[in-house]
Amino acid sequence: MTRVLAAVAWPYANGPRHLGHVAGFGVPSDVFARFMRMSGHDVLMVSGSDEHGTPILVLADSQGVTARELVDTNHAIIAHELADLGCSYDLYTRTTTGNHYAVAQELFAQVWKNGYMIERTQKGAISPSTGRTLPDRYIEGTCPICGYAEARGDQCDNCGNQLEPEDLIEPRSKINGETPDFVETQHFFLDLPALAESLRAYLEEREASGTWRPNVIKFSLNILDDIKPRAMTRDIDWGIPVPLDGWRDLPTKKLYVWFDAVVGYLSASIEWARRQGNPERWREWWNEADALSYYFMGKDNITFHSQIWPAELLGYMGKGDKGGEPGIYGELNLPTEVVSSEYLTMESQQFSTSRGHTILVRDVLTRYQPDALRYFICAAGPETSDADFTWRDFVQRTNSELVAGWGNLVQRTATMLHKSFGEIPVCGPLASEDKAVLAAVETGFEVVGGLLRRQRLRQATAEAMRVVGEVNAYISRTEPFRMKGEDQRERLATVLHVLAQCVSDCNTLLAPMLPHSSNAVHRVLGGEGDFMPMPQVVEVTDLDDGRAYPIITGDYSATPAWGRRPVVAGTPIAKPAPAFVKLDESVVAEELARMAD
RNA sequence: GGGGCGUUAGCUCAGUCGGUCAGAGCAGCGGACUCAUAAUCCGUCGGUCGUCGGUUCAAGCCCGACACGCCCUACCA
């Protein structure tokens, strides 16, 4: 048994989540975590809502609410969406907790103490009316190169040249049209060059493991070549105070949102331990050298997980050119694996909330079964290359694979059991074809398990479905539905017993991908209660400041083992109701029309 | 501009160390069956593996150009 940290990227709390988020890391991380629990590992899966940063502030202003009000609303929405999808977090929390503030500040302070936070002056754009940093992309003006009037502060969309916002002719704020002030401002920069050698050693060691996806490790090594110090504070009044004398009380200086967002993996682990009543227990996943950690995210986050976060940890431990000492958290484990997905596109275009080209998770969940969405993501998600979601494919995959392939096998098996015996019958002598199908299905545990361990979800799903096909073929070969006579009674019992066993095994194979329906199938086969434990949204109070907020948590200790569980003769089988809903073809047109609105 | 990825059957994609690698699923076509949500099973049609050149006894696989597409490269998170 190994300790496994499943660290899932923190959704930004600027609104409900769209399909791209859950396809990239929400569902894949949950499938992995569930499988690792089934394999007997001690899994800690954490995530939360990322709530700081300029976009939240801008959005809150535009809606006439405070940033805190905005994130309170959105955090609750996101927590429910993820829980409804079945994502089995041990803790899904948020970045505005007292605990998170304290942990982020401890990290920052120790990195500073070790000399890896260097103070520098930089030229920045400030909004004159609010005193807040105006990020480059919130500035527009006329491009000095091509004269395009709508150039952004960082790049001109017309000529493609990279720009400095100061170069723009007649720069203006995209938020309110005012002319930004370009001022000298003091900030702390993470001294990445001083950590580069340690980072390279770490990444080369990870590369040698051969387990990272090729593009992730290549990209990570590549960006080391022109590594520069990176600002870790901002002129903004929404965020975590800089924990240094002379800075702590400055109302407009806060930690850069990305500095604190990645700290969330550690702070959430600590919050989880505190809520368990065992406040040091997080150390088993973070301090013990043989613990494993898997970080799940989209490809736009690779930099932050393979460079910034390891650099923060190395700086915290004093493992850079300038030396230093670890802080109170001790020696912390660097990511074992950075599991980055590509992008999900929607009807061939990138998701875009601002352009309304989007599908919200909660809309899908109100209209369709959560496992239909999970199945699509598992079978056709953006695992190693961009993938396209279309309603036609969604309906097609659901109907022909999930319903007609797997659901139908469950349904026909249960119906025959119910009609012939009303229970799982006693198994007689096995014929060679019985032994063959039982062996083929059992092999699935090794094959599918090996793939899931390596986060090869698409292939794992395809392999599990291939096993389902073998069992359907077994029914065609043995034709139990034709065994009517009393003289065939024993043979019928044996075939149906074997079938019940195979369906039970397939259900286990698919349980990481389809936890909700695994529970339904479990009951169809006469089981009690749930097969796979499910997460819950629980209202808690902040451990430090007493405010109430919802979290996702759950007790997953009853997770079944990965392997065959012998079915028990005599288990009653009721007349089954279909576990999977077939979608009408009209869904395609309906959803496309909905998107066009 | 710099870096990365992709291009294989009508569609979506697998193809590890170069040597039965020309593959799967879906769609199409033909047949079988009736337990099952007209579901299932069997068979079958179908590809100059983006283009050009090179290395090799042997190349989707390695190398070099080129074409097309996508992504990363932000004081957005």
Side-chain angles (χ1 to χ4, degrees), chain A residues 420-498:
Chain A
S420 306
F421 296 94
E423 62 178 31
I424 296 176
V426 173
C427 191
L430 293 176
S432 63
E433 58 194 351
D434 308 331
K435 291 177 185 163
V437 74
L438 285 168
V441 171
E442 193 158 28
T443 303
F445 287 105
E446 288 164 45
V447 178
V448 176
L451 292 164
L452 288 177
R453 196 171 300 114
R454 288 176 285 144
Q455 305 97 41
R456 302 286 298 269
L457 256 194
R458 289 172 66 127
Q459 212 180 326
T461 305
E463 179 61 23
M465 291 306 283
R466 196 192 60 73
V467 171
V468 166
E470 295 226 24
V471 182
N472 269 321
Y474 170 78
I475 297 179
S476 292
R477 273 197 304 276
T478 53
E479 301 184 315
F481 43 82
R482 298 176 86 167
M483 299 174 184
K484 310 272 192 198
E486 202 47 46
D487 55 328
Q488 291 174 296
R489 193 74 179 159
E490 188 190 21
R491 180 62 194 141
L492 175 63
T494 301
V495 169
L496 291 186
H497 183 99
V498 167

Coordinates of all heavy atoms in Angstrom, one line a residue, chain A residues 420-498:
Chain A
S420 N -35.8 -17.1 -15.0 CA -35.5 -18.5 -14.9 C -35.5 -19.0 -13.5 O -35.9 -20.1 -13.2 CB -34.2 -18.8 -15.6 OG -34.3 -18.4 -17.0
F421 N -34.9 -18.2 -12.6 CA -34.6 -18.7 -11.3 C -35.1 -17.7 -10.2 O -35.3 -18.2 -9.0 CB -33.1 -19.0 -11.1 CG -32.6 -20.1 -11.9 CD1 -32.0 -19.8 -13.2 CD2 -32.7 -21.4 -11.6 CE1 -31.5 -20.8 -14.0 CE2 -32.2 -22.4 -12.4 CZ -31.6 -22.1 -13.6
G422 N -35.1 -16.4 -10.5 CA -35.5 -15.5 -9.5 C -34.3 -15.2 -8.5 O -34.5 -14.5 -7.5
E423 N -33.2 -15.8 -8.8 CA -32.0 -15.7 -8.0 C -30.8 -16.1 -8.8 O -30.9 -16.6 -9.9 CB -32.1 -16.5 -6.7 CG -32.2 -18.0 -7.0 CD -32.3 -18.9 -5.8 OE1 -32.9 -18.4 -4.8 OE2 -31.8 -20.0 -5.8
I424 N -29.6 -15.9 -8.2 CA -28.4 -16.4 -8.9 C -28.3 -17.9 -8.6 O -28.3 -18.3 -7.4 CB -27.2 -15.7 -8.4 CG1 -27.2 -14.2 -8.7 CG2 -25.9 -16.3 -8.9 CD1 -26.1 -13.3 -8.2
P425 N -28.4 -18.7 -9.6 CA -28.4 -20.2 -9.4 C -27.1 -20.7 -9.1 O -26.1 -20.1 -9.2 CB -28.9 -20.7 -10.8 CG -28.4 -19.7 -11.8 CD -28.5 -18.4 -11.1
V426 N -27.1 -22.0 -8.6 CA -25.9 -22.7 -8.2 C -25.2 -23.1 -9.5 O -25.8 -23.5 -10.5 CB -26.2 -23.9 -7.4 CG1 -24.9 -24.8 -7.2 CG2 -26.8 -23.5 -6.1
C427 N -23.9 -22.9 -9.5 CA -23.1 -23.2 -10.7 C -22.8 -24.7 -10.8 O -22.4 -25.3 -9.8 CB -21.7 -22.4 -10.6 SG -20.8 -22.5 -12.1
G428 N -23.0 -25.3 -12.0 CA -22.7 -26.7 -12.2 C -21.3 -26.8 -12.8 O -20.5 -25.9 -12.7
P429 N -21.0 -28.0 -13.4 CA -19.7 -28.1 -14.0 C -19.4 -27.2 -15.1 O -20.3 -26.9 -15.9 CB -19.7 -29.6 -14.5 CG -20.9 -30.2 -13.9 CD -21.9 -29.1 -13.5
L430 N -18.2 -26.6 -15.2 CA -18.0 -25.6 -16.2 C -17.5 -26.2 -17.5 O -16.7 -27.1 -17.5 CB -16.8 -24.6 -15.7 CG -17.2 -23.7 -14.5 CD1 -16.0 -22.9 -14.1 CD2 -18.4 -22.8 -14.9
A431 N -18.1 -25.7 -18.6 CA -17.7 -26.2 -19.9 C -16.5 -25.3 -20.3 O -16.2 -24.3 -19.7 CB -18.8 -26.0 -20.9
S432 N -15.8 -25.7 -21.4 CA -14.6 -24.9 -21.8 C -15.0 -23.5 -22.2 O -14.2 -22.5 -21.9 CB -13.9 -25.6 -23.0 OG -14.8 -25.6 -24.1
E433 N -16.2 -23.3 -22.8 CA -16.5 -21.9 -23.2 C -16.8 -21.1 -22.0 O -16.6 -19.9 -22.0 CB -17.8 -22.0 -24.1 CG -19.0 -22.6 -23.5 CD -20.1 -23.0 -24.6 OE1 -19.9 -22.5 -25.7 OE2 -21.0 -23.6 -24.2
D434 N -17.3 -21.7 -20.9 CA -17.5 -21.0 -19.6 C -16.2 -20.5 -19.0 O -16.0 -19.4 -18.7 CB -18.2 -21.8 -18.6 CG -19.5 -22.5 -19.1 OD1 -20.1 -21.8 -20.0 OD2 -19.8 -23.6 -18.7
K435 N -15.2 -21.5 -19.0 CA -13.9 -21.2 -18.5 C -13.2 -20.1 -19.3 O -12.6 -19.2 -18.7 CB -13.0 -22.4 -18.4 CG -13.5 -23.5 -17.4 CD -12.6 -24.7 -17.5 CE -13.1 -25.8 -16.6 NZ -12.6 -27.1 -16.9
A436 N -13.5 -20.2 -20.6 CA -12.8 -19.2 -21.5 C -13.3 -17.8 -21.2 O -12.5 -16.8 -21.1 CB -13.1 -19.5 -23.0
V437 N -14.6 -17.6 -21.1 CA -15.1 -16.2 -20.9 C -14.8 -15.7 -19.5 O -14.4 -14.6 -19.3 CB -16.6 -16.2 -21.1 CG1 -17.5 -16.8 -20.0 CG2 -17.1 -14.7 -21.3
L438 N -14.8 -16.6 -18.5 CA -14.4 -16.2 -17.1 C -12.9 -15.8 -17.1 O -12.6 -14.8 -16.5 CB -14.6 -17.4 -16.1 CG -16.1 -17.6 -15.7 CD1 -16.2 -19.0 -15.0 CD2 -16.6 -16.5 -14.9
A439 N -12.1 -16.5 -17.8 CA -10.7 -16.1 -17.9 C -10.5 -14.8 -18.6 O -9.7 -14.0 -18.2 CB -9.9 -17.2 -18.6
A440 N -11.2 -14.7 -19.7 CA -11.1 -13.4 -20.5 C -11.5 -12.2 -19.7 O -10.8 -11.2 -19.7 CB -11.9 -13.5 -21.8
V441 N -12.5 -12.4 -18.9 CA -13.0 -11.2 -18.1 C -12.0 -11.0 -17.0 O -11.7 -9.8 -16.7 CB -14.4 -11.5 -17.5 CG1 -14.8 -10.5 -16.5 CG2 -15.4 -11.6 -18.7
E442 N -11.5 -12.0 -16.4 CA -10.6 -11.8 -15.2 C -9.3 -11.1 -15.7 O -8.7 -10.3 -15.0 CB -10.3 -13.1 -14.5 CG -9.6 -12.9 -13.2 CD -9.8 -14.0 -12.2 OE1 -9.9 -15.2 -12.7 OE2 -9.8 -13.8 -11.0
T443 N -8.9 -11.5 -16.9 CA -7.7 -10.8 -17.5 C -7.9 -9.3 -17.6 O -6.9 -8.5 -17.5 CB -7.4 -11.4 -18.9 OG1 -7.2 -12.8 -18.7 CG2 -6.1 -10.8 -19.4
G444 N -9.1 -8.9 -17.7 CA -9.4 -7.5 -17.8 C -8.9 -6.7 -16.6 O -8.5 -5.6 -16.7
F445 N -8.9 -7.3 -15.4 CA -8.4 -6.6 -14.3 C -7.0 -6.2 -14.4 O -6.6 -5.1 -14.0 CB -8.6 -7.4 -13.0 CG -10.1 -7.5 -12.6 CD1 -10.8 -8.7 -12.8 CD2 -10.7 -6.4 -12.0 CE1 -12.2 -8.7 -12.4 CE2 -12.1 -6.4 -11.6 CZ -12.8 -7.6 -11.8
E446 N -6.2 -7.1 -15.0 CA -4.8 -6.8 -15.2 C -4.6 -5.7 -16.2 O -3.9 -4.7 -16.1 CB -4.0 -8.0 -15.6 CG -3.7 -9.0 -14.5 CD -3.3 -10.3 -15.1 OE1 -2.5 -10.3 -16.0 OE2 -3.9 -11.4 -14.7
V447 N -5.3 -5.9 -17.3 CA -5.1 -5.0 -18.5 C -5.6 -3.6 -18.2 O -4.9 -2.6 -18.3 CB -5.8 -5.6 -19.8 CG1 -5.6 -4.7 -20.9 CG2 -5.1 -7.0 -20.1
V448 N -6.9 -3.6 -17.8 CA -7.5 -2.3 -17.6 C -6.8 -1.6 -16.4 O -6.5 -0.4 -16.4 CB -9.0 -2.4 -17.2 CG1 -9.7 -1.1 -16.9 CG2 -9.7 -3.0 -18.5
G449 N -6.5 -2.4 -15.4 CA -5.8 -1.8 -14.2 C -4.4 -1.2 -14.6 O -4.1 -0.1 -14.2
G450 N -3.7 -1.9 -15.4 CA -2.4 -1.4 -15.9 C -2.5 -0.1 -16.6 O -1.7 0.8 -16.5
L451 N -3.6 0.0 -17.4 CA -3.8 1.3 -18.1 C -4.2 2.4 -17.2 O -3.7 3.5 -17.4 CB -4.8 1.0 -19.2 CG -4.4 0.1 -20.4 CD1 -5.6 -0.4 -21.2 CD2 -3.4 0.8 -21.3
L452 N -5.1 2.1 -16.3 CA -5.6 3.2 -15.4 C -4.4 3.7 -14.5 O -4.3 4.9 -14.2 CB -6.7 2.7 -14.5 CG -8.1 2.5 -15.2 CD1 -9.1 1.9 -14.3 CD2 -8.6 3.8 -15.8
R453 N -3.6 2.8 -14.1 CA -2.4 3.2 -13.3 C -1.6 4.2 -14.0 O -1.0 5.1 -13.4 CB -1.6 1.9 -12.9 CG -0.6 2.1 -11.8 CD 0.0 0.8 -11.4 NE -1.0 -0.2 -11.0 CZ -1.3 -1.3 -11.6 NH1 -0.7 -1.7 -12.7 NH2 -2.2 -2.1 -11.1
R454 N -1.5 4.1 -15.3 CA -0.7 5.0 -16.1 C -1.6 6.1 -16.7 O -1.2 6.8 -17.7 CB 0.0 4.2 -17.3 CG 1.1 3.4 -16.8 CD 1.7 2.5 -17.9 NE 0.8 1.4 -18.3 CZ 0.7 1.0 -19.5 NH1 1.4 1.6 -20.5 NH2 -0.1 0.0 -19.8
Q455 N -2.8 6.3 -16.2 CA -3.7 7.4 -16.6 C -4.0 7.3 -18.1 O -4.3 8.3 -18.8 CB -3.1 8.8 -16.3 CG -2.7 9.0 -14.9 CD -1.2 8.8 -14.7 OE1 -0.4 9.1 -15.5 NE2 -0.9 8.1 -13.6
R456 N -4.1 6.0 -18.6 CA -4.5 5.8 -20.0 C -6.0 5.5 -20.0 O -6.4 4.4 -20.3 CB -3.7 4.7 -20.6 CG -2.1 4.9 -20.6 CD -1.7 5.9 -21.6 NE -2.0 5.5 -22.9 CZ -1.1 4.8 -23.7 NH1 0.0 4.5 -23.2 NH2 -1.5 4.4 -24.9
L457 N -6.7 6.6 -19.8 CA -8.2 6.4 -19.6 C -8.9 5.9 -20.8 O -9.8 5.1 -20.8 CB -8.8 7.8 -19.2 CG -9.1 8.0 -17.8 CD1 -10.0 9.2 -17.7 CD2 -9.9 6.8 -17.3
R458 N -8.6 6.5 -22.0 CA -9.3 6.1 -23.2 C -9.1 4.7 -23.5 O -10.0 3.9 -23.8 CB -8.8 7.0 -24.4 CG -9.2 8.5 -24.3 CD -8.5 9.3 -25.3 NE -8.9 8.9 -26.7 CZ -9.4 9.8 -27.6 NH1 -9.5 11.1 -27.2 NH2 -9.8 9.4 -28.8
Q459 N -7.8 4.3 -23.4 CA -7.5 2.9 -23.8 C -8.1 1.9 -22.7 O -8.6 0.8 -23.0 CB -6.0 2.7 -23.9 CG -5.6 1.6 -24.9 CD -4.1 1.5 -25.0 OE1 -3.4 2.4 -24.8 NE2 -3.7 0.2 -25.2
A460 N -8.1 2.3 -21.5 CA -8.7 1.5 -20.4 C -10.2 1.3 -20.6 O -10.7 0.2 -20.5 CB -8.4 2.2 -19.0
T461 N -10.8 2.4 -21.0 CA -12.3 2.3 -21.2 C -12.6 1.4 -22.4 O -13.5 0.6 -22.4 CB -12.8 3.8 -21.5 OG1 -12.5 4.6 -20.3 CG2 -14.3 3.7 -21.6
A462 N -11.8 1.6 -23.5 CA -12.0 0.8 -24.7 C -11.8 -0.7 -24.3 O -12.5 -1.6 -24.8 CB -11.1 1.2 -25.8
E463 N -10.8 -1.0 -23.5 CA -10.5 -2.4 -23.2 C -11.6 -2.9 -22.3 O -12.1 -4.1 -22.5 CB -9.2 -2.4 -22.4 CG -8.7 -3.8 -22.0 CD -8.6 -4.8 -23.1 OE1 -8.3 -4.4 -24.3 OE2 -8.7 -6.0 -22.9
A464 N -12.1 -2.2 -21.4 CA -13.3 -2.6 -20.5 C -14.5 -2.9 -21.4 O -15.2 -3.9 -21.2 CB -13.6 -1.6 -19.5
M465 N -14.7 -2.1 -22.4 CA -15.9 -2.3 -23.3 C -15.6 -3.5 -24.2 O -16.6 -4.1 -24.6 CB -16.1 -1.0 -24.1 CG -16.7 0.2 -23.3 SD -18.1 -0.2 -22.3 CE -19.4 -0.2 -23.5
R466 N -14.4 -3.7 -24.5 CA -14.1 -4.9 -25.3 C -14.4 -6.2 -24.5 O -15.0 -7.1 -25.1 CB -12.6 -4.9 -25.7 CG -12.3 -5.9 -26.9 CD -10.8 -6.1 -27.0 NE -10.2 -6.6 -25.8 CZ -10.3 -7.9 -25.4 NH1 -11.0 -8.8 -26.1 NH2 -9.7 -8.3 -24.3
V467 N -14.2 -6.1 -23.3 CA -14.5 -7.3 -22.4 C -16.0 -7.4 -22.3 O -16.5 -8.6 -22.4 CB -13.9 -7.1 -21.0 CG1 -14.5 -8.1 -20.0 CG2 -12.4 -7.1 -21.0
V468 N -16.7 -6.3 -22.2 CA -18.2 -6.4 -22.3 C -18.7 -7.1 -23.5 O -19.6 -7.9 -23.5 CB -18.8 -4.9 -22.2 CG1 -20.3 -4.9 -22.6 CG2 -18.6 -4.3 -20.8
G469 N -18.0 -6.8 -24.7 CA -18.4 -7.4 -25.9 C -18.1 -8.9 -25.9 O -18.9 -9.7 -26.5
E470 N -17.1 -9.3 -25.2 CA -16.8 -10.8 -25.1 C -18.0 -11.5 -24.4 O -18.3 -12.6 -24.7 CB -15.5 -11.0 -24.4 CG -14.3 -10.5 -25.1 CD -13.2 -11.5 -25.1 OE1 -13.5 -12.7 -25.0 OE2 -12.0 -11.0 -25.3
V471 N -18.5 -10.8 -23.4 CA -19.6 -11.4 -22.6 C -20.9 -11.5 -23.4 O -21.6 -12.5 -23.4 CB -19.8 -10.7 -21.3 CG1 -20.9 -11.4 -20.4 CG2 -18.5 -10.6 -20.5
N472 N -21.1 -10.4 -24.2 CA -22.3 -10.4 -25.1 C -22.1 -11.6 -26.1 O -23.1 -12.3 -26.4 CB -22.4 -9.1 -25.8 CG -23.3 -8.1 -25.1 OD1 -24.3 -8.5 -24.5 ND2 -22.9 -6.8 -25.0
A473 N -20.9 -11.8 -26.6 CA -20.7 -12.9 -27.5 C -20.9 -14.2 -26.9 O -21.4 -15.2 -27.5 CB -19.3 -12.7 -28.1
Y474 N -20.5 -14.3 -25.6 CA -20.7 -15.6 -24.9 C -22.2 -15.9 -24.8 O -22.6 -17.1 -25.0 CB -20.2 -15.4 -23.5 CG -20.5 -16.5 -22.5 CD1 -19.8 -17.7 -22.5 CD2 -21.5 -16.3 -21.5 CE1 -20.1 -18.7 -21.6 CE2 -21.8 -17.3 -20.6 CZ -21.1 -18.5 -20.7 OH -21.4 -19.5 -19.8
I475 N -23.1 -14.9 -24.7 CA -24.5 -15.2 -24.7 C -25.0 -15.7 -26.0 O -25.7 -16.7 -26.1 CB -25.3 -13.9 -24.3 CG1 -25.0 -13.5 -22.9 CG2 -26.8 -14.2 -24.4 CD1 -25.7 -12.2 -22.4
S476 N -24.4 -15.1 -27.1 CA -24.8 -15.6 -28.4 C -24.3 -17.1 -28.6 O -25.0 -17.9 -29.3 CB -24.1 -14.7 -29.5 OG -24.7 -13.5 -29.5
R477 N -23.2 -17.4 -28.1 CA -22.6 -18.7 -28.3 C -23.4 -19.8 -27.5 O -23.7 -20.9 -28.0 CB -21.2 -18.8 -27.9 CG -20.2 -18.4 -29.0 CD -18.8 -18.9 -28.6 NE -18.3 -18.4 -27.4 CZ -17.8 -17.2 -27.2 NH1 -17.6 -16.4 -28.2 NH2 -17.4 -16.8 -26.0
T478 N -23.7 -19.4 -26.3 CA -24.3 -20.4 -25.4 C -25.9 -20.4 -25.5 O -26.5 -21.4 -25.1 CB -24.0 -20.2 -23.9 OG1 -24.3 -18.8 -23.6 CG2 -22.5 -20.4 -23.7
E479 N -26.5 -19.3 -25.9 CA -27.9 -19.2 -26.1 C -28.7 -19.7 -24.9 O -29.6 -20.6 -25.1 CB -28.3 -20.0 -27.4 CG -27.7 -19.4 -28.6 CD -28.2 -20.1 -29.9 OE1 -28.3 -21.3 -29.9 OE2 -28.4 -19.4 -30.9
P480 N -28.5 -19.2 -23.7 CA -29.2 -19.6 -22.6 C -30.8 -19.4 -22.7 O -31.5 -20.2 -22.1 CB -28.7 -18.7 -21.4 CG -28.1 -17.5 -22.1 CD -27.6 -18.1 -23.4
F481 N -31.2 -18.5 -23.5 CA -32.6 -18.2 -23.7 C -33.3 -19.3 -24.5 O -34.5 -19.3 -24.6 CB -32.8 -16.9 -24.5 CG -31.8 -16.7 -25.6 CD1 -32.1 -17.2 -26.8 CD2 -30.7 -15.9 -25.5 CE1 -31.2 -17.1 -27.9 CE2 -29.8 -15.8 -26.5 CZ -30.1 -16.3 -27.7
R482 N -32.6 -20.3 -25.0 CA -33.2 -21.4 -25.7 C -33.3 -22.6 -24.8 O -33.8 -23.7 -25.3 CB -32.5 -21.7 -27.0 CG -32.5 -20.5 -28.0 CD -31.7 -20.8 -29.2 NE -32.5 -21.5 -30.2 CZ -32.1 -21.7 -31.5 NH1 -30.9 -21.3 -31.9 NH2 -32.8 -22.4 -32.3
M483 N -32.7 -22.6 -23.7 CA -32.6 -23.7 -22.8 C -33.9 -23.8 -22.0 O -34.0 -23.4 -20.9 CB -31.4 -23.7 -21.9 CG -30.1 -23.6 -22.6 SD -28.7 -23.4 -21.5 CE -27.4 -23.2 -22.6
K484 N -35.0 -24.4 -22.6 CA -36.3 -24.4 -22.0 C -36.5 -25.7 -21.2 O -37.2 -25.7 -20.2 CB -37.4 -24.3 -23.1 CG -37.2 -23.1 -24.0 CD -37.8 -21.9 -23.5 CE -37.8 -20.8 -24.6 NZ -37.9 -19.5 -24.2
G485 N -36.0 -26.8 -21.7 CA -36.4 -28.1 -21.1 C -35.8 -28.4 -19.7 O -34.8 -27.7 -19.3
E486 N -36.4 -29.3 -19.0 CA -36.0 -29.6 -17.6 C -34.6 -30.3 -17.7 O -33.8 -30.1 -16.8 CB -37.0 -30.6 -17.0 CG -36.9 -30.6 -15.5 CD -36.9 -29.3 -14.8 OE1 -37.7 -28.4 -15.2 OE2 -36.0 -29.1 -13.9
D487 N -34.3 -31.0 -18.8 CA -33.0 -31.6 -19.0 C -31.9 -30.6 -19.2 O -30.7 -31.0 -19.0 CB -33.1 -32.6 -20.2 CG -33.5 -31.9 -21.5 OD1 -34.3 -30.9 -21.4 OD2 -33.0 -32.3 -22.5
Q488 N -32.2 -29.4 -19.5 CA -31.2 -28.4 -19.7 C -31.1 -27.4 -18.5 O -30.3 -26.5 -18.5 CB -31.5 -27.5 -21.0 CG -31.4 -28.3 -22.3 CD -31.9 -27.5 -23.4 OE1 -33.1 -27.1 -23.5 NE2 -31.0 -27.2 -24.3
R489 N -31.8 -27.8 -17.5 CA -31.9 -26.9 -16.3 C -30.6 -26.6 -15.7 O -30.2 -25.5 -15.3 CB -32.9 -27.5 -15.3 CG -33.3 -26.6 -14.2 CD -34.3 -25.6 -14.6 NE -34.7 -24.8 -13.5 CZ -35.3 -23.5 -13.6 NH1 -35.5 -23.0 -14.8 NH2 -35.6 -22.9 -12.6
E490 N -29.8 -27.7 -15.5 CA -28.5 -27.5 -14.9 C -27.5 -26.7 -15.7 O -26.8 -25.8 -15.2 CB -27.8 -28.9 -14.5 CG -26.6 -28.7 -13.7 CD -25.8 -30.0 -13.5 OE1 -25.9 -30.9 -14.3 OE2 -25.0 -30.0 -12.5
R491 N -27.6 -26.9 -17.0 CA -26.7 -26.2 -17.9 C -27.1 -24.7 -17.9 O -26.2 -23.8 -17.9 CB -26.8 -26.8 -19.3 CG -26.0 -26.1 -20.4 CD -24.5 -26.2 -20.1 NE -23.7 -25.3 -20.9 CZ -22.6 -24.6 -20.5 NH1 -22.2 -24.8 -19.2 NH2 -21.9 -23.8 -21.3
L492 N -28.4 -24.5 -17.9 CA -28.9 -23.1 -17.9 C -28.4 -22.4 -16.6 O -27.9 -21.2 -16.6 CB -30.4 -23.1 -17.9 CG -31.1 -21.7 -17.7 CD1 -30.7 -20.8 -18.9 CD2 -32.6 -21.8 -17.7
A493 N -28.5 -23.1 -15.5 CA -28.1 -22.5 -14.2 C -26.6 -22.2 -14.3 O -26.2 -21.1 -13.8 CB -28.3 -23.5 -13.1
T494 N -25.8 -23.0 -14.9 CA -24.4 -22.8 -14.9 C -24.1 -21.6 -15.8 O -23.3 -20.7 -15.4 CB -23.7 -24.0 -15.5 OG1 -23.9 -25.1 -14.6 CG2 -22.2 -23.8 -15.6
V495 N -24.7 -21.5 -17.0 CA -24.5 -20.4 -17.9 C -24.9 -19.1 -17.2 O -24.1 -18.1 -17.3 CB -25.2 -20.6 -19.2 CG1 -25.2 -19.3 -20.1 CG2 -24.6 -21.7 -20.0
L496 N -26.0 -19.1 -16.6 CA -26.5 -17.8 -16.0 C -25.6 -17.4 -14.8 O -25.4 -16.3 -14.5 CB -28.0 -17.9 -15.6 CG -28.9 -18.0 -16.8 CD1 -30.4 -17.9 -16.3 CD2 -28.7 -16.9 -17.8
H497 N -25.1 -18.4 -14.1 CA -24.2 -18.1 -13.0 C -22.9 -17.5 -13.5 O -22.5 -16.5 -13.0 CB -23.9 -19.4 -12.2 CG -23.1 -19.2 -11.0 ND1 -23.6 -19.1 -9.7 CD2 -21.7 -19.0 -10.9 CE1 -22.6 -18.8 -8.9 NE2 -21.4 -18.8 -9.5
V498 N -22.4 -18.1 -14.5 CA -21.2 -17.6 -15.2 C -21.5 -16.1 -15.6 O -20.6 -15.2 -15.5 CB -20.7 -18.5 -16.3 CG1 -19.7 -17.8 -17.2 CG2 -20.2 -19.8 -15.8

